[in-house]
Structures are given as C-alpha cells and as structure tokens.
C-alpha cells in the first residue's frame, strides 16, 4: 500500500509540474518578446539621436505617431495644423493656403472613394481641390473680426436744433436695410442654407455705414451656423459696435438639409428674429420695422 501511495503522489507531482510549465512557458515567451521590443526601441532611439539609424526614424514616424496611420488611410493628407512645414520653415500666407487646400482635398478624395466613386476618373480629377476651395470660401468668416469688417465706418450724429425751440433736439428714426442675401452652411449636416436678412436699428449717438450691415451679416454667415444663432449674432454685433437704442434682425432662409433630405419639404421657409432695446419694448416701433420689411422694394 505504501508503494502505491508513493507512486500516486509522484504522478500528482509530475502532473502539477507539467501544468505549471504549460502556464508559465507562454508568459515567459511574452516577457522575452517585450524585452526584445524594448531593447530594439532603445537601440533605435539612440540611432535617431546620433543620426545614424534611418530605420529608427522610420519606426518613430510610423509607430510613435498614430495620426500618421490616419493620414495613410485618408489619402496621405497633411495633418500639420501649424503654419510650419516639415523642415520647420514658416510658411507664407500663400503657402499656408496651398497647404490647407491640399490637406482638405486629400480628405475629400478619400470621401469620394468611400462613397464608391473613383477620384481618378476624368470628371472628378479636380473635384477634391475645387470642393476644398469652395468649403474654405464658405467658411471664410472665421478669418474676419468685427473690428476688421466695420473699420472706421462709425459716424457720430450731429443733431440739429429747432430754431423756434432751441432746447429741442431731433432724434433719428429707424434705419432699415432689408433683403441682404446670405449664404451659410448648416453645422448639423454641412449642407447650405440661404435667404435674406433684414436689419434695423434705432440710432443713439452714431450711425454705421450701410454696407457694414451687409458685411456683418456675411461675416457671421460664412461659418458653420444655425439660423437661430446667426440671427442673434448679427443683432449682438450691431449692439456692440453702434450701441443704438434698439436693434431688430429678421432672417428668412431655405435649408437644404430640410428640403433635399429628411422630411423633404422643398417649399418650407424658416423665419427667425432677434429684438433688443426699444424695438423689443415698443410695439409701435416694432410694427414700423415689420412694415418696412414687408413692403415690396420700390423701383428706381
């Protein structure tokens, strides 16, 4: 019996040893590979600093920078967001424009491929670059500031006094510019929306050059937008620059994201408004503004 017990105990020990070996062997192999990989990285990093290892540079370019893998899948686009080229040289405005156009065009070529098209066919050869330039134009409002757009076109008012009543100073009435054509991009679908803006304000101490009202509307429209937000931004800008007694802005737009897709309501028109100051408080002034924009344009 003692011999049988000893033999059984030996079998158990041998089995346990084999089990441990089967578990530990892969772990040891993995640790060995990790050690070799770390050694290779240290070696290649040393080569990079000494300038003697082209392989190390390639390794860092492809492994150490995940964004490069994205670029490879996006038509080798240039992801450098700064105005500096790969050699550290600062780019001129023209070179920076060309860099941005090329980067966006590379992405658009990848989009065409994902849609099942062939960007190399004759009809599409220049489409990515044309579309890149169009997108940059449609979003060119990001490059402007309110101060640049309005410039020095703020003119103080000289209020005349009545001869019979010297203490009575006349107050200027409503200034209204309507039917300003705007084009923008819906920030939800990147599809166009377009229409007309009607802007009115009640001057206090100064008036703004009439063309600047249209330029303010265009600057904010040339961005990714919501019509509701665009309406309020125009009103806020006018309040900031002119500091009038009241502002009213009304936008009437057609949205391609609503007409060409989704509910497909081609005849739908979206109207939004933003009111402040006396134009928000005084119903008669508000009605006067609405009558101005409702009237058809006079023939000249």
């Amino acid at each position: 019996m003692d011999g049988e017990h000893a033999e059984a105990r030996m079998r158990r020990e041998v089995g346990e040893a084999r089990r441990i070996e089967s578990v530990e062997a892969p772990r040891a192999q993995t640790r060995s590979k990790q050690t070799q990989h770390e050694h290779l990285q240290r070696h290649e990093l040393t080569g990079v600093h000494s300038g003697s290892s082209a392989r190390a540079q390639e390794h860092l370019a492809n492994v150490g920078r995940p964004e490069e893998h994205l670029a490879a899948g996006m038509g080798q686009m240039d992801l450098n967001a700064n105005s500096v080229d790969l050699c550290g040289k600062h780019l001129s405005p023209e070179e920076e424009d060309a860099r941005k156009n090329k980067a966006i065009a590379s992405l658009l070529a990848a989009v065409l491929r994902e849609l099942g098209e062939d960007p190399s066919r004759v009809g599409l050869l220049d489409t990515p670059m044309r579309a890149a330039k169009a997108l940059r134009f449609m979003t060119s409002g990001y490059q402007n500031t309110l101060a640049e757009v309005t410039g020095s076109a703020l003119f103080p008012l000289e209020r005349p006094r009545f001869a019979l009543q010297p203490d009575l100073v006349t107050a200027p009435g409503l200034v209204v510019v309507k039917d300003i054509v705007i084009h923008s991009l819906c920030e939800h679908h990147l599809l166009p929306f377009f229409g007309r803006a009607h802007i009115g304000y009640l001057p206090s101490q100064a008036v703004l050059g009439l063309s600047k009202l249209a330029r303010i509307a265009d600057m904010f429209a040339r961005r990714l937008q919501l019509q509701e937000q665009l309406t309020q931004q125009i009103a806020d800008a006018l309040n900031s620059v002119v500091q009038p007694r009241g502002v009213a802005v009304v936008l009437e737009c057609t949205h391609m994201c609503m007409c060409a897709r989704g509910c497909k309501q081609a005849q739908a028109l979206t109207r939004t408004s933003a009111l402040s100051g006396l134009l928000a408080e005084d119903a008669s002034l508000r009605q006067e503004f609405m009558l101005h924009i409702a009237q058809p344009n006079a023939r000249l």
Side-chain angles (χ1 to χ4, degrees):
M1 292 293 293
D2 291 341
E4 292 177 358
H5 285 261
E7 185 177 354
R9 187 168 60 253
M10 184 178 296
R11 287 198 190 99
R12 287 196 298 270
E13 291 175 354
V14 170
E16 181 67 16
R18 287 177 178 173
R19 186 189 66 78
I20 293 173
E21 182 180 358
S22 66
V23 172
E24 291 296 330
R27 292 179 179 174
Q29 187 177 9
T30 300
R31 286 195 295 270
S32 176
K33 288 182 179 180
Q34 289 176 343
T35 302
Q36 292 175 4
H37 181 67
E38 292 171 359
H39 177 73
L40 177 62
Q41 283 186 321
R42 285 196 297 270
H43 173 71
E44 291 176 343
L45 283 169
T46 303
V48 168
H49 291 302
S50 65
S52 63
S53 175
R55 182 187 172 198
Q57 295 175 7
E58 181 181 358
H59 176 77
L60 286 177
N62 295 322
V63 177
R65 297 171 185 167
E67 66 271 18
E68 295 297 328
H69 294 295
L70 176 62
M74 289 293 190
Q76 301 297 329
M77 79 169 186
D78 182 3
L79 291 176
N80 182 13
N82 300 318
S83 301
V84 179
D85 66 8
L86 296 178
C87 299
K89 172 189 172 184
H90 286 275
L91 302 178
S92 67
E94 294 77 14
E95 291 171 330
E96 176 65 3
D97 279 343
R99 184 198 69 78
K100 289 181 177 179
N101 289 339
K102 183 179 177 182
I104 296 171
S106 296
L107 286 172
L108 292 172
V111 169
L112 288 174
R113 283 191 291 270
E114 293 300 323
L115 292 174
E117 265 292 356
D118 178 11
S120 64
R121 73 175 175 86
V122 175
L124 294 177
L125 277 177
D126 298 322
T127 296
M129 183 58 71
R130 283 194 297 262
K133 292 178 180 179
L135 278 173
R136 292 196 63 211
F137 176 74
M138 291 294 292
T139 56
S140 57
Y142 290 119
Q143 310 305 318
N144 304 124
T145 66
L146 191 57
E148 292 171 346
V149 166
T150 56
S152 58
L154 188 65
F155 306 104
L157 285 172
E158 296 180 3
R159 298 182 178 179
R161 296 176 180 270
F162 289 103
L164 297 178
Q165 295 176 290
D167 294 333
L168 181 63
V169 179
T170 60
L174 274 174
V175 176
V176 179
V177 178
K178 69 171 192 167
D179 294 331
I180 299 169
V181 177
I182 58 169
H183 293 268
S184 192
L185 284 176
C186 165
E187 68 178 31
H188 292 158
H189 303 97
L190 299 186
L191 289 175
F193 70 89
F194 51 89
R196 298 178 185 276
H198 313 295
I199 304 174
Y201 71 99
L202 199 61
S204 176
Q205 302 296 325
V207 293
L208 186 65
L210 295 177
S211 69
K212 304 307 180 183
L213 299 178
R215 292 185 184 278
I216 289 173
D218 187 69
M219 179 188 76
F220 286 111
R222 299 289 181 188
R223 302 178 181 187
L224 301 183
Q225 277 289 10
L226 300 174
Q227 182 177 330
E228 300 89 338
Q229 175 178 271
L230 173 58
T231 309
Q232 190 62 54
Q233 286 176 342
I234 296 171
D236 290 344
L238 194 54
N239 271 315
S240 172
V241 173
V242 186
Q243 298 181 354
R245 291 176 290 160
V247 168
V249 178
V250 172
L251 265 59
E252 299 173 308
C253 294
T254 297
H255 292 249
M256 294 309 297
C257 59
M258 187 175 179
C259 297
R261 58 163 297 282
C263 61
K264 297 187 286 293
Q265 295 297 313
Q267 302 301 317
L269 183 72
T270 301
R271 182 179 286 117
T272 51
S273 64
L275 305 169
S276 68
L278 290 180
L279 277 157
E281 300 166 3
D282 191 320
S284 62
L285 278 173
R286 190 162 59 250
Q287 183 179 15
E288 181 184 347
F289 171 75
M290 295 302 179
L291 287 174
H292 277 304
I293 68 175
Q295 290 176 352
N297 291 332
R299 289 187 177 182
L300 300 178

